[in-house]
Amino acid sequence: MVGLQTMPPDVTRALFSDLSPRELVGVAAQCRSLACSAFEPDLWERHCRQRWPNVGWGAHGAADRIGDWCSTFRRRAAMPIGFPLACDAIAGVTIHCAESPCAAQSFPGLLRDLATVATCMEGNKHLRDTPEFRLLQENMTWWLAEHPGVVMATFRRLSAAPESASHSHAWHGQAGSLLTILQWLKEHKLLARLHPSVSDRIQSETLLLQRQVCAAA
């Protein structure tokens, strides 16, 4: 370790760039001077972006929203694997749709990511306290407030009863996922942020879908 300490910073950086996150933490534990090099933001940003390619979507500079890169890696590595990936995907779609008229085409795919989030949060309520979840709340509030027509049309299309018995099994799975999403939106009080007319329409669609599922069971 003495040799590492006496090497020029650019050489140390080049060596550390080949280390895994676990190896970087191990090196950092050896002494304070090595810790400074092992926790260089650029090293941890690279590891974050390798594991979560879209990390930082929607940030005004990623550090403003997700924290420093080392803390971000540690926090996300402890999460259910699908949670940060789905949050990042939703953020990316939201940013894209805020800049171009593609909401109607993009929202159905976003619902799949939202279903992943809802599943990951079952039994992991601590995820509510993360920057990823706070950004997700902002993104979903934007969709519900700016594109209620797209949201409602998608919900109606996905909840429409099957035309034939051969499609009933697939519809049950689809309806179950949609109910999970609707309940998740309600549980996390996203519907309370909407105009009452929009919130009431979503609540009505939820009740209708619940009755359809019960009737078809």
Side-chain angles (χ1 to χ4, degrees), residues 34-137:
L34 289 179
C36 292
S37 298
F39 289 132
E40 279 287 327
D42 290 351
L43 294 174
W44 289 94
E45 180 180 0
R46 180 171 62 83
H47 284 301
C48 281
R49 295 199 181 281
Q50 284 178 344
R51 187 172 294 196
W52 307 285
N54 293 323
V55 61
W57 269 113
H60 304 295
D64 294 339
R65 300 299 293 276
I66 61 175
D68 68 86
W69 288 109
C70 182
S71 297
T72 296
F73 186 94
R74 289 180 171 182
R75 182 181 68 248
R76 286 181 163 224
M79 295 175 177
I81 189 170
F83 181 77
L85 290 170
C87 289
D88 291 344
I90 290 171
V93 170
T94 304
I95 290 292
H96 181 63
C97 290
E99 297 173 349
S100 60
C102 61
Q105 295 77 27
S106 301
F107 190 71
L110 181 147
L111 285 180
R112 288 191 290 272
D113 291 313
L114 193 57
T116 297
V117 168
T119 299
C120 289
M121 292 188 70
E122 293 178 0
N124 293 292
K125 301 303 183 184
H126 65 280
L127 294 174
R128 296 181 183 181
D129 300 323
T130 63
E132 287 77 11
F133 181 72
R134 289 192 289 273
L135 183 58
L136 174 66
Q137 285 181 306

Side-chain angles (χ1 to χ4, degrees), residues 185-204:
L185 291 172
K186 181 179 180 180
E187 177 185 353
H188 294 287
K189 302 186 181 352
L190 291 177
L191 301 184
R193 305 182 183 192
L194 302 178
H195 188 279
S197 64
V198 178
S199 178
D200 290 346
R201 288 165 62 193
I202 293 177
Q203 297 277 23
S204 297

